[in-house]
């Protein structure tokens, strides 16, 4: 299963929908997009499982409405990518920025422009 910033393709689709939504979305609204736009033939339990998983990851919030739950993103896409990157660097490179950069450039060398950009960040 290919991961997109720590998310499966379907999780990424759902988060993309919630990240671009102007207001919280109902379960039915999300299911309608999945059926009509993404051509999914999910049962209710399938979408519920994805939404619960995203809630456990801390990416989706749910609010009980009068007649249905409302779902919304708890962070922006940029915040998620930032958090995922920090976690990846911690897990894969023992929080070492130099190890991360070494892995990123491989056997090559940084261009002068990239080196200058790094100097500005530091």
């Amino acid at each position: 299963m290919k991961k997109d910033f720590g998310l499966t393709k379907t999780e990424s689709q759902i988060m993309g929908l919630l990240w671009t939504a102007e207001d919280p979305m109902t379960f039915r609204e999300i299911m309608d997009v999945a059926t009509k736009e993404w051509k999914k033939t999910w049962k209710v339990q399938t979408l519920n499982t994805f939404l619960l998983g995203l809630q456990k990851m801390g990416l989706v919030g749910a609010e009980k409405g009068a007649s249905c739950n409302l779902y919304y993103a708890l962070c922006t896409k940029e915040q998620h990518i930032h958090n995922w990157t920090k976690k990846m660097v911690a897990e894969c490179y023992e929080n070492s920025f130099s190890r991360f950069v070494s892995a990123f450039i491989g056997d090559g060398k940084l261009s002068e422009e990239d080196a200058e950009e790094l100097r500005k960040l530091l």
Side-chain angles (χ1 to χ4, degrees), residues 36-100:
K36 294 173 184 166
E37 293 181 28
W38 304 337
K39 307 298 183 211
K40 303 286 187 181
T41 55
W42 290 338
K43 293 182 180 178
V44 169
Q45 295 88 344
T46 303
L47 178 55
N48 193 50
T49 298
F50 280 115
L51 289 170
L52 285 173
L54 291 166
Q55 287 175 39
K56 287 179 183 176
M57 287 185 230
L59 296 175
V60 170
E63 213 173 88
K64 294 220 184 271
S67 61
C68 59
N69 285 347
L70 297 171
Y71 296 91
Y72 53 92
L74 291 173
C75 65
T76 66
K77 182 177 183 178
E78 292 74 19
Q79 289 168 327
H80 169 66
I81 293 170
H82 174 80
N83 293 337
W84 176 80
T85 302
K86 284 183 73 169
K87 182 180 176 187
M88 188 248 325
V89 170
E91 290 175 1
C92 298
Y93 303 102
E94 299 173 356
N95 272 333
S96 170
F97 180 70
S98 60
R99 285 183 185 170
F100 173 70

